[in-house]
Amino acid sequence: RLEANRKALGLDGGGTYSERRDRQKKKDKKPEREENSSNKERKGYGKDGDYSAFVKEEMRKFKERAEAERQTARMDDLLLRDYNMSWEGFVRSETNNCIRERDIPWLPRLRLSGPGGKESWKLVGVSEHADFELKKAALRVHTMRWHPDKFSQKWGSRIRAEEKEEVMERVRECCQRLNEIRGRLEVERT
């Protein structure tokens, strides 16, 4: 009866204790996962498993992205400089000239946005890291410039009648963009 139980349990002989233990370990051991090429790529290796080639490729991509961002920042700076110069010329323009929509230097759409894809503080001429009072003052200047009532009061009599609605719609859009920045300023204050 003891032998029958041993056979049923798989303990019937089969060598020495150490041989049986080794067989049991092999049986209990999980099969090792083979690394296919897609696993290697996910871990940071290239298709041929060469880590240094992968690192070089990632560095090349990083440098390309950084250079593209620098180029975009330069373009934004040129847009802002052109906008500021155009605004100064617009303000100095003759008082009896009729204003068309195309004559007005509108707030530029910057390519590089601020945190979270929102309007950048560069739009009002200050850094994201400027102090609260500087941001507030710069925002006030631009808000006064693009507030629909103030704009209409200052320039409304010179705007061509057939373009007045379009012009005021774009002025409201500029004001809304500045109000979005103002909302972030209020959050910074708290």
Side-chain angles (χ1 to χ4, degrees):
R1 197 167 145 206
L2 187 58
E3 279 184 38
N5 287 341
R6 289 181 117 191
K7 279 185 180 181
L9 294 172
L11 300 173
D12 60 333
T16 65
Y17 171 76
S18 59
E19 289 172 342
R20 287 192 309 263
R21 185 190 65 217
D22 291 342
R23 274 197 309 271
Q24 189 62 36
K25 279 184 180 178
K26 284 181 184 176
K27 195 183 203 183
D28 293 341
K29 189 175 181 183
K30 292 181 182 176
E32 289 187 26
R33 200 171 118 194
E34 286 186 28
E35 288 200 38
N36 60 27
S37 62
S38 64
N39 286 342
K40 285 183 178 181
E41 287 175 35
R42 243 182 278 133
K43 287 185 175 181
Y45 293 92
K47 288 183 180 174
D48 57 356
D50 183 12
Y51 188 71
S52 63
F54 172 77
V55 170
K56 287 177 185 174
E57 178 63 17
E58 288 300 308
M59 286 301 293
R60 185 190 64 75
K61 289 177 186 177
F62 175 78
K63 287 177 182 177
E64 282 179 3
R65 285 190 303 267
E67 181 58 29
E69 195 170 302
R70 278 192 294 275
Q71 289 287 352
T72 302
R74 280 187 223 128
M75 288 298 294
D76 283 353
D77 290 343
L78 288 173
L79 278 172
L80 287 169
R81 192 179 83 200
D82 184 49
Y83 162 71
N84 288 325
M85 288 173 49
S86 298
W87 183 263
E88 292 301 319
F90 177 71
V91 170
R92 285 191 303 255
S93 66
E94 293 184 28
T95 57
N96 40 353
N97 282 353
C98 197
I99 299 174
R100 299 179 144 201
E101 182 186 19
R102 67 177 183 212
D103 299 333
I104 301 169
W106 300 103
L107 275 175
R109 291 266 180 210
L110 301 182
R111 294 184 176 138
L112 279 183
S113 57
K118 300 181 181 193
E119 292 283 357
S120 172
W121 280 101
K122 283 176 82 174
L123 189 62
V124 294
V126 295
S127 162
E128 296 284 333
H129 307 290
D131 70 332
F132 178 82
E133 291 301 320
L134 185 60
K135 286 180 178 179
K136 182 178 173 182
L139 188 58
R140 180 169 168 65
V141 167
H142 281 76
T143 301
M144 295 299 284
R145 179 183 292 177
W146 293 108
H147 190 280
D149 293 336
K150 298 291 183 187
F151 191 89
S152 181
Q153 183 181 9
K154 188 165 188 174
W155 309 104
S157 63
R158 292 181 49 200
I159 299 172
R160 288 187 68 183
E162 53 274 2
E163 294 184 9
K164 193 166 191 141
E165 188 60 38
E166 292 173 39
V167 168
M168 292 313 294
E169 182 60 35
R170 288 205 55 194
V171 168
R172 282 189 287 278
E173 178 189 314
C174 290
C175 189
Q176 287 171 354
R177 290 172 61 198
L178 293 168
N179 284 338
E180 185 260 318
I181 295 174
R182 179 182 299 286
R184 289 202 339 251
L185 182 67
E186 294 302 321
V187 169
E188 278 184 29
R189 175 192 250 173
T190 57

